[in-house]
Amino acid sequence: MIVGCPTCGAEVEFRYDDSFVRVCGHCRSAVVRTDRGVETLGRFADLVPIPSALKLFAEGRHGTTGFLLVGMAQLRHGAGGVWQEWYAKLDGGQWAWISEAQGRIYFTFERPDVPVPAISSLTPGTAIELAGATFTVAERGTATYVSANGEIPYRLVPSSTFQFVDLSDGRGGFATIDYGDGSESPAVYLGYQVTPQGLGLSGGEAQPQLVKPSTGARLACPNCNGSLELRAPDQTLRVACPYCNSLVSVEGGTLSIIAKQAKKPVPAIALGTKGSFVEGELTVIGYVARSACIDLTWWPFEEYLLYAPSVGFRWLVCSDGHWSYVQPVATGAVSVGLDAKYDGVTFQRFQSTELRVDSVLGEF
């Protein structure tokens, strides 16, 4: 079905009878079909270029069923940072939602048959039953739709904000509950973590270079006008100026000074250094000097924030000359009591104490 965009008049094609919104390729309006014709829900901002193995109109496979990526959206977390959702049309006509954030990809389906608990009852660490499986709440937050492209299987309104809860079963299973703005019934999506290789992706459109280069961005410190380089521009919330030691907030593209350090730290590993790890090549983008209070004495240690678009964030920790590579694990994979149990191994509590941040450098 081809219609005229209500905003600019350009042709807009709806390929599927059960899709709701098509983003106009000329003016970026969200065009929605209604029983009275077509309307616009507003305009989307330009896409933020984010390196991804997923591409619009790429083909892939879910088990023995093929699918086509026909739409995508970019969402900004309430605390900052951007992630992407992709909408896949399967050969049998079913829709799938593919969430992509910090190097992880989740393939999910909407499950209208699964009862949804009240959002007020869900806090991080809460365990609930969904479709006969136990999931643990990883996060409860808000997000805003900032951009989109292609064809969307629901009424996606530009700049609309919604509440969500993400959950994990600790074994690769994933669930997300979209509570919207409270005006409609919540929707639950169930699925599992996948890899681009496992999806057998091929083809698709080339990623556009629109707002800023994905390899980094440069801003000016609002205090000293020094150059601030961001190596993860779509994720960074704070950056420490290497010239005047100001700690700068970059949330929402607005720069503001939130603190100033007494002195500039000098890390043993320079920012921008690349290293090879078990998950691939990662770049040092941040440094934190911290201390632990033990017997009324503060003992220092160091943390380096590592990043790669295909992996996400990791930490390299140095304490008493010992180096540790730190990866996040899925919520629900760890059971905590007097001791902690993970992957069949019981870890005894070694130490519990107060920590402080002494100085920072780079971006976070």
Side-chain angles (χ1 to χ4, degrees), residues 191-343:
Y192 51 91
Q193 187 174 346
V194 297
T195 65
Q197 295 78 13
L199 293 177
L201 298 170
S202 63
E205 292 184 345
Q207 292 181 329
Q209 296 293 319
L210 296 174
V211 179
K212 51 191 175 184
S214 60
T215 54
R218 291 186 181 274
L219 304 172
C221 173
N223 182 56
C224 71
N225 206 38
S227 178
L228 304 176
E229 181 179 3
L230 303 184
R231 296 177 173 86
D234 54 298
Q235 302 291 335
T236 297
L237 304 180
R238 305 283 189 272
V239 59
C241 177
Y243 305 102
C244 68
N245 300 327
S246 295
L247 185 60
V248 180
S249 168
V250 296
E251 291 186 55
T254 301
L255 277 65
S256 60
I257 298 173
I258 57 177
K260 187 165 183 175
Q261 303 181 96
K263 61 179 182 179
K264 176 183 175 180
V266 182
I269 305 175
L271 299 185
T273 301
K274 298 181 184 294
S276 296
F277 299 86
V278 65
E279 295 177 283
E281 185 179 82
L282 294 160
T283 302
V284 177
I285 68 169
Y287 168 80
V288 185
R290 307 186 74 179
S291 296
C293 185
I294 303 173
D295 297 330
L296 302 180
T297 300
W298 290 96
W299 297 87
F301 64 97
E302 300 175 310
E303 297 179 338
Y304 294 85
L305 181 60
L306 312 174
Y307 177 72
S310 61
V311 177
F313 296 99
R314 301 292 185 263
W315 289 96
L316 189 62
V317 181
C318 181
S319 178
D320 293 330
H322 299 283
W323 292 86
S324 302
Y325 178 71
V326 181
Q327 303 168 277
V329 297
T331 304
V334 180
S335 58
V336 180
L338 294 176
D339 299 321
K341 183 176 290 185
Y342 171 68
D343 198 23

Side-chain angles (χ1 to χ4, degrees), residues 1-361:
M1 175 182 179
I2 297 178
V3 300
C5 172
T7 301
C8 70
E11 287 190 350
V12 175
E13 181 182 6
F14 286 88
R15 302 185 182 201
Y16 303 101
D17 292 338
D18 56 348
S19 64
F20 283 80
V21 172
R22 184 70 162 88
V23 180
C24 176
H26 293 265
C27 69
R28 302 203 50 74
S29 291
V31 181
V32 60
R33 289 186 289 190
T34 71
D35 54 3
R36 298 180 301 276
V38 293
E39 301 174 359
T40 180
L41 300 174
R43 286 189 180 185
F44 287 109
D46 288 336
L47 293 169
V48 177
I50 299 175
S52 173
L54 283 69
K55 299 178 182 179
L56 198 62
F57 303 122
E59 297 180 341
R61 301 200 67 79
H62 172 256
T64 59
T65 304
F67 65 81
L68 181 69
L69 297 178
V70 300
M72 60 87 67
Q74 292 185 334
L75 305 91
R76 184 174 298 280
H77 194 282
V82 177
W83 82 90
Q84 302 189 135
E85 281 185 353
W86 298 81
Y87 310 111
K89 189 67 169 176
L90 276 66
D91 289 346
Q94 190 175 13
W95 288 97
W97 277 252
I98 304 176
S99 178
E100 179 186 27
Q102 296 189 15
R104 296 185 178 184
I105 300 174
Y106 299 97
F107 198 100
T108 66
F109 294 94
E110 186 176 4
R111 291 290 303 272
D113 59 309
V114 176
V116 177
I119 191 171
S120 59
S121 68
L122 302 179
T123 57
T126 302
I128 64 171
E129 295 291 319
L130 292 174
T134 300
F135 288 83
T136 302
V137 176
E139 180 185 14
R140 190 176 89 183
T142 61
T144 300
Y145 288 103
V146 293
S147 192
N149 204 6
E151 202 157 348
I152 316 296
Y154 60 97
R155 187 181 174 87
L156 195 163
V157 179
S159 301
S160 59
T161 297
F162 64 96
Q163 299 182 83
F164 70 90
V165 174
D166 284 345
L167 310 96
S168 167
D169 70 354
R171 300 183 300 274
F174 175 78
T176 186
I177 306 175
D178 182 349
Y179 287 89
D181 61 3
S183 63
E184 298 182 355
S185 299
V188 59
Y189 301 84
L190 298 179
Y192 51 91
Q193 187 174 346
V194 297
T195 65
Q197 295 78 13
L199 293 177
L201 298 170
S202 63
E205 292 184 345
Q207 292 181 329
Q209 296 293 319
L210 296 174
V211 179
K212 51 191 175 184
S214 60
T215 54
R218 291 186 181 274
L219 304 172
C221 173
N223 182 56
C224 71
N225 206 38
S227 178
L228 304 176
E229 181 179 3
L230 303 184
R231 296 177 173 86
D234 54 298
Q235 302 291 335
T236 297
L237 304 180
R238 305 283 189 272
V239 59
C241 177
Y243 305 102
C244 68
N245 300 327
S246 295
L247 185 60
V248 180
S249 168
V250 296
E251 291 186 55
T254 301
L255 277 65
S256 60
I257 298 173
I258 57 177
K260 187 165 183 175
Q261 303 181 96
K263 61 179 182 179
K264 176 183 175 180
V266 182
I269 305 175
L271 299 185
T273 301
K274 298 181 184 294
S276 296
F277 299 86
V278 65
E279 295 177 283
E281 185 179 82
L282 294 160
T283 302
V284 177
I285 68 169
Y287 168 80
V288 185
R290 307 186 74 179
S291 296
C293 185
I294 303 173
D295 297 330
L296 302 180
T297 300
W298 290 96
W299 297 87
F301 64 97
E302 300 175 310
E303 297 179 338
Y304 294 85
L305 181 60
L306 312 174
Y307 177 72
S310 61
V311 177
F313 296 99
R314 301 292 185 263
W315 289 96
L316 189 62
V317 181
C318 181
S319 178
D320 293 330
H322 299 283
W323 292 86
S324 302
Y325 178 71
V326 181
Q327 303 168 277
V329 297
T331 304
V334 180
S335 58
V336 180
L338 294 176
D339 299 321
K341 183 176 290 185
Y342 171 68
D343 198 23
V345 179
T346 298
F347 296 84
Q348 295 182 335
R349 185 186 299 268
F350 173 69
Q351 198 171 62
S352 179
T353 188
E354 180 183 357
L355 300 178
R356 75 181 184 194
V357 175
D358 299 318
S359 60
V360 297
L361 188 65

